[in-house]
Amino acid sequence: MNAHYHIDSRKYTLQQLKMNLLSRELIPSRMVLKEDLERRFKILEKMGILNLQDLINALKNKKKMEIFSSSSGISVDYLTLLRREANSYLPNPVPLNKFPGVSPQDLARLKEKGIKNSRHLFEQAGSDKDRKELAKKSGVSLENLTELAGLSDLVRAYGVGPVFSRILYDTGIHSIRRLIGYSPEEIIQLYEEKFDQKADFSLRDMHFCLEIARALDL
């Protein structure tokens, strides 16, 4: 069975989402999600929303959201923010040219093979065997391809963009499998020792990042 790029949203329960919202430091524009959260999430459960995929499906577009708002009594504004939060658990693939330090020549060679983003590369170079075959077909060195595959794996984690994936990679964390072997405190220590500066992300940020990373296919 092929590994999935995202977490299995059908297995990520509404209760897990609720607990994450309660425990995390949300950005100011999403702080409203914590308001009257218990009551609102009880309504969601009564409406048949049991997991992340149910929620995404129910709020898929403006029309569905308006119908759901009318039936549930939860405002469209709140549901709009909740949909954004839910969708953020399934991050968009990152264009390969957004990763710092990647050779333009390698990008062009991969583009010729139809590989333009992190999901493409994750799905086509997820194993040692796949990477060796792709290196031969594309002309990209196995070393460079392995590095780019590692970066593409890391951006599957919540909150890990192309720049942060490069930071993690440069500290020696080359995959999701390796990432989840560290504690939040260890990751922050690695970062601060590597770059001789205070980390601009918190322990809570890293706790949540690792929680989502553990739900990913390895």
Side-chain angles (χ1 to χ4, degrees):
M1 183 179 70
N2 292 331
H4 294 286
Y5 184 79
H6 293 120
I7 64 171
D8 189 339
S9 54
R10 295 164 300 180
K11 294 180 180 179
Y12 202 83
T13 69
L14 187 69
Q15 285 301 308
Q16 286 177 290
L17 176 60
K18 182 182 79 172
M19 295 308 298
N20 282 329
L21 289 173
L22 285 170
S23 63
R24 281 166 48 218
E25 296 175 2
L26 300 178
I27 60 175
S29 63
R30 293 195 188 175
M31 283 297 292
V32 69
L33 287 173
K34 294 192 178 194
E35 295 177 5
D36 205 12
L37 186 144
E38 289 285 353
R39 183 186 68 83
R40 284 169 166 158
F41 270 64
K42 284 181 180 178
I43 292 172
L44 293 175
E45 283 187 327
K46 289 179 180 178
M47 297 286 291
I49 307 299
L50 303 179
N51 56 52
L52 190 64
Q53 191 59 54
D54 288 342
L55 185 62
I56 290 171
N57 289 342
L59 308 179
K60 194 169 186 179
N61 54 50
K62 185 178 179 181
K63 184 176 180 180
K64 280 193 167 188
M65 201 180 307
E66 289 174 347
I67 293 171
F68 194 91
S69 174
S70 178
S71 301
S72 66
I74 301 174
S75 72
V76 170
D77 287 344
Y78 186 89
L79 293 175
T80 299
L81 289 176
L82 190 58
R83 180 179 67 176
R84 289 174 188 164
E85 179 67 21
N87 285 334
S88 70
Y89 285 54
L90 309 175
N92 290 326
V94 173
L96 296 181
N97 62 5
K98 297 297 183 182
F99 290 112
V102 178
S103 158
Q105 291 81 9
D106 287 346
L107 293 174
R109 292 183 182 112
L110 290 170
K111 187 176 181 181
E112 288 178 359
K113 300 299 178 183
I115 300 172
K116 302 175 184 179
N117 62 47
S118 56
R119 183 167 188 165
H120 294 157
L121 194 62
F122 174 80
E123 293 176 344
Q124 296 191 46
S127 68
D128 290 341
K129 179 183 177 182
D130 290 341
R131 284 192 288 275
K132 287 176 182 177
E133 290 180 358
L134 183 58
K136 288 180 182 178
K137 289 190 288 187
S138 67
V140 177
S141 73
L142 182 58
E143 180 182 2
N144 288 356
L145 195 58
T146 298
E147 178 180 302
L148 193 50
L151 295 170
S152 295
D153 186 23
L154 288 168
V155 293
R156 296 192 298 142
Y158 184 100
V160 177
V163 174
F164 191 30
S165 70
R166 168 57 73 185
I167 290 170
L168 290 172
Y169 197 94
D170 288 348
T171 63
I173 300 172
H174 295 169
S175 66
I176 291 291
R177 185 182 295 276
R178 293 189 69 173
L179 177 68
I180 63 176
Y182 287 85
S183 69
E185 292 83 358
E186 288 171 331
I187 293 171
I188 288 177
Q189 183 179 355
L190 280 172
Y191 175 89
E192 293 181 347
E193 288 177 352
K194 173 76 175 178
F195 298 99
D196 194 27
Q197 65 183 45
K198 186 173 176 60
D200 58 358
F201 47 91
S202 70
L203 278 175
R204 284 190 179 184
D205 292 335
M206 284 313 309
H207 272 290
F208 183 60
C209 174
L210 290 173
E211 179 180 331
I212 299 300
R214 292 187 187 102
L216 290 164
D217 283 348
L218 301 180

